Amino acid sequence: MQFGKLPPLPSLERLRKQGIPTVSDRQFWDATKHVTKRRRLLLALIHNDGWVWDAIASIKTTNRATTLDDQTTIDKVILH
């Protein structure tokens, strides 16, 4: 992903598969387009710190970049 592009919006499909009602993908885009500039800035900050969007958006990995060998998976998170 190049700078200046938007990171993908989260997919609503996981929610739909769990039976959670959602709006259409178009309605979701329309409801979030006002934060486009903020999302571009977030993506730039992520890249500047050496991360890739897929690592940040993932619910299972803690990789800083897809080219690293560290494939640590978070199996369980305990909050204190």
Side-chain angles (χ1 to χ4, degrees), residues 1-10 28-29 32 35-44 46-47 52-54 56-57:
M1 186 174 295
Q2 298 174 346
F3 292 108
K5 294 203 175 200
L6 282 174
L9 287 172
F28 186 48
W29 165 250
T32 59
V35 292
T36 299
K37 186 175 180 179
R38 185 181 309 168
R39 292 177 59 233
R40 277 194 182 108
L41 175 60
L42 176 60
L43 180 61
I46 289 167
H47 284 170
V52 294
W53 184 259
D54 290 342
I56 300 299

Side-chain angles (χ1 to χ4, degrees), residues 59-74:
I59 62 169
K60 294 186 177 187
T61 65
T62 57
N63 298 347
R64 287 195 68 159
T66 56
T67 57
L68 296 178
D69 291 333
D70 181 11
Q71 297 293 319
T72 304
T73 301
I74 300 173

Side-chain angles (χ1 to χ4, degrees), residues 2-30:
Q2 298 174 346
F3 292 108
K5 294 203 175 200
L6 282 174
L9 287 172
S11 173
L12 298 177
E13 199 55 38
R14 289 183 63 204
L15 298 174
R16 292 177 184 136
K17 285 180 180 178
Q18 295 297 318
I20 299 171
T22 67
V23 297
S24 71
D25 290 339
R26 180 65 191 181
Q27 289 171 307
F28 186 48
W29 165 250
D30 288 342

